[in-house]
Amino acid sequence: DTLWDLAIAEVEKRENPDDDDNDVKPGEVWEKSLLFMGNKNGGKTTIILRCLEREESPKPTLALEYTFGRRARRPNTPKDVAHFWELGGGTSLVELIRIPITSHNIRSFAVVLVLDLSKPNELWTTMESLLQVTRNHVKRVLTKLERTNPEVAAEIKERMWNDLRRDHPDYALVDPFPIPLVIIGSKYDIFNEFDSEMRKIISKTLRFVSHYYGASLVFTSKSEALLLKARAVINHLAFGYDKSKSVSVDPSKPLFIPAGLDSMSQIGPPPASDSDLGKMRANTPLELWKKVFEKTFPPKSFCDLQDTKDPAQDSQYAEYEVDAMRAQKNQELEQYKRNASKSWKEMDFDSN
């Protein structure tokens, strides 16, 4: 590099001190990947469209869908690319996360968990199931990467602690998610109509979970002001935009807490009496918070698999030629089954 190149790089580094990727050379295009997952009909598609500034009506996501966005960090520079993956079906299709999260892109991957605040009885089950499967898969990818590219694996593990300083009082009490994580509480407008005590329990619980996993926490709705806040957090992960440092922890207002800016002392103990806490047997703080939360909001008994629609029957994927051929083959299959059944019944088996 020339002296001029080094000077430009130094200026860019100073202008973007919080940029996780300030090792990217001037003019170089980077690629980021984000996986959106969460409750069915929780607003994932709406958030993605708003982040990409697309004026179109959201459609139901039936499996795993992909789109992308392109942005330039500064004028007259190449546009960076962000890959947006969206997992549909709630928790029923969680195994599909193996498709977008691979050893080739794990270094630049982030997860956005969208939880429907209007359905507190589904909240913990959805959150626990999706994060557990995702975390286990990421760990398997990192184990594989340790054998093929140990330097990158070590970098990813070290980066887990970027948002929490070593002098933070909770440094030994948290268990950061292996890749960047954002938890978005959607449908705040409905949630805001809940009883104040219910709102307090949900807010405190999500604050604890987010802080425990080293995640950012954002409450949003269809309100333009709240969508802009969620968009700012996502744009930081997707396009390297400046990281917001504003914080809102007031339970009577929408929460907005970037990763690393909360603490156990500010969150307080689980919302239960001392006698109730004493009766609850838990091996970890996370398990204790789960028991307290589910005492107020018992997990709703539902089966995602039964509600999962067949994409082949969805009108938004209709293709006349393909559908006509499929119908023909289905008819041929049914006819084959009838003929096979008839031939078996007519067979004369020797009783000896």
Side-chain angles (χ1 to χ4, degrees):
D1 292 341
T2 65
L3 184 60
W4 184 245
D5 291 330
L6 294 173
I8 293 175
E10 180 63 26
V11 170
E12 290 182 340
K13 184 176 180 180
R14 291 180 181 180
E15 289 178 348
N16 300 276
D18 294 324
D19 203 348
D20 294 334
D21 294 86
N22 53 27
D23 57 330
V24 177
K25 296 179 181 178
E28 183 179 343
V29 175
W30 72 34
E31 294 187 33
K32 295 283 188 176
S33 298
L34 282 77
L35 172 62
F36 287 74
M37 56 187 183
N39 294 91
K40 291 180 180 178
N41 304 314
K44 299 183 293 295
T45 305
T46 299
I47 294 171
I48 292 174
L49 292 175
R50 188 64 189 87
C51 288
L52 297 177
E53 299 180 353
R54 293 181 184 171
E55 300 295 333
E56 55 187 87
S57 300
K59 298 178 181 179
T61 304
L62 298 179
L64 182 66
E65 295 194 1
Y66 166 81
T67 188
F68 69 94
R70 301 177 71 232
R71 298 271 173 81
R73 276 166 284 166
R74 284 170 288 278
N76 302 319
T77 59
K79 291 185 177 180
D80 299 318
V81 180
H83 306 279
F84 288 77
W85 295 87
E86 182 183 355
L87 180 69
T91 60
S92 63
L93 302 172
V94 69
E95 294 301 324
L96 291 178
I97 64 168
R98 292 177 294 180
I99 296 174
I101 306 178
T102 68
S103 57
H104 299 290
N105 64 12
I106 188 76
R107 187 183 182 191
S108 58
F109 214 100
V111 171
V112 180
L113 177 64
V114 181
L115 298 173
D116 189 339
L117 296 175
S118 70
K119 300 176 180 178
N121 298 87
E122 299 179 16
L123 192 149
W124 193 284
T125 303
T126 300
M127 173 180 65
E128 183 178 53
S129 176
L130 292 172
L131 290 185
Q132 184 175 4
V133 174
T134 304
R135 185 168 201 162
N136 290 340
H137 173 66
V138 170
K139 285 185 175 180
R140 287 194 295 270
V141 172
L142 289 177
T143 300
K144 178 182 177 181
L145 200 59
E146 285 176 341
R147 296 193 297 267
T148 58
N149 197 334
E151 293 182 357
V152 172
E155 176 194 328
I156 294 172
K157 290 185 176 182
E158 183 179 349
R159 196 190 302 171
M160 288 166 51
W161 297 92
N162 276 1
D163 291 316
L164 202 66
R165 304 184 314 273
R166 287 189 175 275
D167 60 350
H168 194 288
D170 303 332
Y171 192 83
L173 304 176
V174 298
D175 186 15
F177 208 69
I179 55 179
L181 172 65
V182 173
I183 297 178
I184 295 180
S186 64
K187 301 186 181 180
Y188 176 79
D189 50 338
I190 300 175
F191 167 80
N192 199 37
E193 297 176 359
F194 288 179
D195 174 78
S196 61
E197 193 61 29
M198 291 174 60
R199 294 201 311 269
K200 181 180 178 182
I201 294 172
I202 296 171
S203 296
K204 285 192 68 172
T205 300
L206 288 180
R207 280 184 65 184
F208 170 80
V209 171
S210 299
H211 184 57
Y212 182 80
Y213 283 129
S216 297
L217 176 62
V218 184
F219 281 5
T220 189
S221 67
K222 292 182 178 180
S223 160
E224 186 65 20
L226 294 184
L227 279 173
L228 284 174
K229 286 193 171 185
R231 180 184 168 192
V233 174
I234 294 170
N235 277 342
H236 169 68
L237 295 174
F239 300 107
Y241 284 21
D242 289 343
K243 185 177 180 180
S244 176
K245 293 183 179 179
S246 64
V247 179
S248 175
V249 297
D250 187 343
S252 64
K253 298 178 181 179
L255 297 181
F256 184 88
I257 312 173
L261 297 185
D262 210 342
S263 67
M264 298 295 186
S265 60
Q266 291 180 349
I267 297 170
S273 64
D274 292 340
S275 59
D276 286 341
L277 290 176
K279 297 175 185 177
M280 295 179 181
R281 295 182 178 180
N283 297 320
T284 65
L286 190 66
E287 187 178 342
L288 178 61
W289 278 83
K290 175 183 178 180
K291 289 180 179 294
V292 172
F293 183 83
E294 292 188 341
K295 183 179 180 181
T296 305
F297 303 105
K300 184 178 179 181
S301 177
F302 66 97
C303 181
D304 283 322
L305 291 173
Q306 292 179 350
D307 297 332
T308 302
K309 298 179 181 178
D310 181 1
Q313 305 301 324
D314 193 276
S315 59
Q316 66 176 308
Y317 300 114
E319 292 187 45
Y320 176 75
E321 292 82 359
V322 175
D323 294 339
M325 180 58 68
R326 180 187 177 93
Q328 178 184 328
K329 293 300 180 183
N330 284 340
Q331 290 179 355
E332 293 175 1
L333 178 61
E334 290 303 317
Q335 184 63 44
Y336 172 81
K337 288 179 179 179
R338 287 193 292 269
N339 292 340
S341 176
K342 184 178 180 181
S343 63
W344 273 101
K345 290 178 181 178
E346 293 175 349
M347 282 187 177
D348 183 17
F349 291 98
D350 187 351
S351 59
N352 295 327

